[in-house]
Amino acid sequence: SISHNLPQRGTTVAELGSKAISGLIASIGSFDESFAPLDLLEIREILEGYAARKAAKLATQEDLQEILKWHMEFKAKADVGQRALDEDHLLHIAIAKASKNPVCLSLISYITPQIIALNVGFAESDPDRFVRTFEEHDRLVKCILAKDEQGAEAAMMAHMREARRRRFPD
């Protein structure tokens, strides 16, 4: 694998070998289908919760290294108050990869550009947002490292609910 070949972060994405991922690199708004945001987020929760549970069970050492890499790159940006959309989504894709279910990876990869499109135009009003997102990720990553399947799924679902609430306050 070429994942140690950093900071050329392109290699990690290319390595996914999924056509769906090309949407991340191509222009974000170019998808033919445009889904209703809440429909998208509901299905995302199911996929991401599943991915987290399976990753806790099945992640290899290499998977864990990739998950930790994006987690720490997210933190480096969050610590200086920068948005880390790429690192955030690459962390989620690394978790999906670690699920060892190519359908799950493919579907998460497919909807990721649309999730990014939802967030790109979203003005961040809360300066603590990045730190809070990091803390949500941190609970999740710790559960995956501990092979705690239920904990990982619960941490991901909590993260998805918070992400949805940040985007669509009740």
Side-chain angles (χ1 to χ4, degrees), residues 9-46:
R9 76 175 43 147
T11 52
T12 312
V13 177
E15 222 173 41
L16 287 169
S18 159
K19 282 196 206 116
I21 206 69
S22 65
L24 279 170
I25 299 138
S27 91
I28 281 161
S30 67
F31 268 59
D32 292 342
E33 291 148 287
S34 163
F35 300 115
L38 287 169
D39 290 345
L40 197 58
L41 294 179
E42 277 186 7
I43 297 304
R44 184 188 186 209
E45 286 179 21
I46 295 166

Side-chain angles (χ1 to χ4, degrees), residues 51-71:
R53 185 174 79 243
K54 295 303 249 190
K57 184 178 187 178
L58 301 171
T60 63
Q61 206 50 47
E62 197 180 357
D63 292 326
L64 296 174
Q65 279 171 344
E66 191 171 339
I67 288 167
L68 280 169
K69 179 178 110 60
W70 295 120
H71 185 43

Side-chain angles (χ1 to χ4, degrees), residues 19-144:
K19 282 196 206 116
I21 206 69
S22 65
L24 279 170
I25 299 138
S27 91
I28 281 161
S30 67
F31 268 59
D32 292 342
E33 291 148 287
S34 163
F35 300 115
L38 287 169
D39 290 345
L40 197 58
L41 294 179
E42 277 186 7
I43 297 304
R44 184 188 186 209
E45 286 179 21
I46 295 166
L47 291 169
E48 294 274 8
Y50 170 90
R53 185 174 79 243
K54 295 303 249 190
K57 184 178 187 178
L58 301 171
T60 63
Q61 206 50 47
E62 197 180 357
D63 292 326
L64 296 174
Q65 279 171 344
E66 191 171 339
I67 288 167
L68 280 169
K69 179 178 110 60
W70 295 120
H71 185 43
M72 296 325 291
E73 291 202 15
F74 181 96
K75 184 182 194 302
K77 281 196 174 176
D79 282 347
V80 294
Q82 283 179 8
R83 271 188 110 165
L85 268 181
D86 292 351
E87 292 77 6
D88 193 337
H89 290 288
L90 287 163
L91 170 64
H92 282 270
I93 285 166
I95 291 168
K97 236 171 119 179
S99 79
K100 303 305 175 197
N101 183 326
V103 180
C104 183
L105 173 60
S106 201
L107 290 172
I108 287 176
S109 301
Y110 176 72
I111 66 172
T112 291
Q114 298 191 42
I115 301 289
I116 291 174
L118 268 186
N119 292 325
V120 155
F122 180 49
E124 297 293 354
S125 53
D126 178 4
D128 294 331
R129 208 288 248 169
F130 314 114
V131 176
R132 278 215 306 282
T133 301
F134 174 79
E135 285 165 358
E136 290 161 25
H137 284 167
D138 203 49
R139 279 194 289 279
L140 168 63
V141 169
K142 282 178 173 138
C143 288
I144 292 172

Side-chain angles (χ1 to χ4, degrees), residues 156-169:
M156 180 66 91
M157 297 310 267
H159 173 46
M160 292 288 102
R161 278 193 304 275
E162 286 304 311
R164 186 206 294 217
R165 197 170 295 136
R166 281 190 285 270
R167 191 65 193 76
F168 298 100

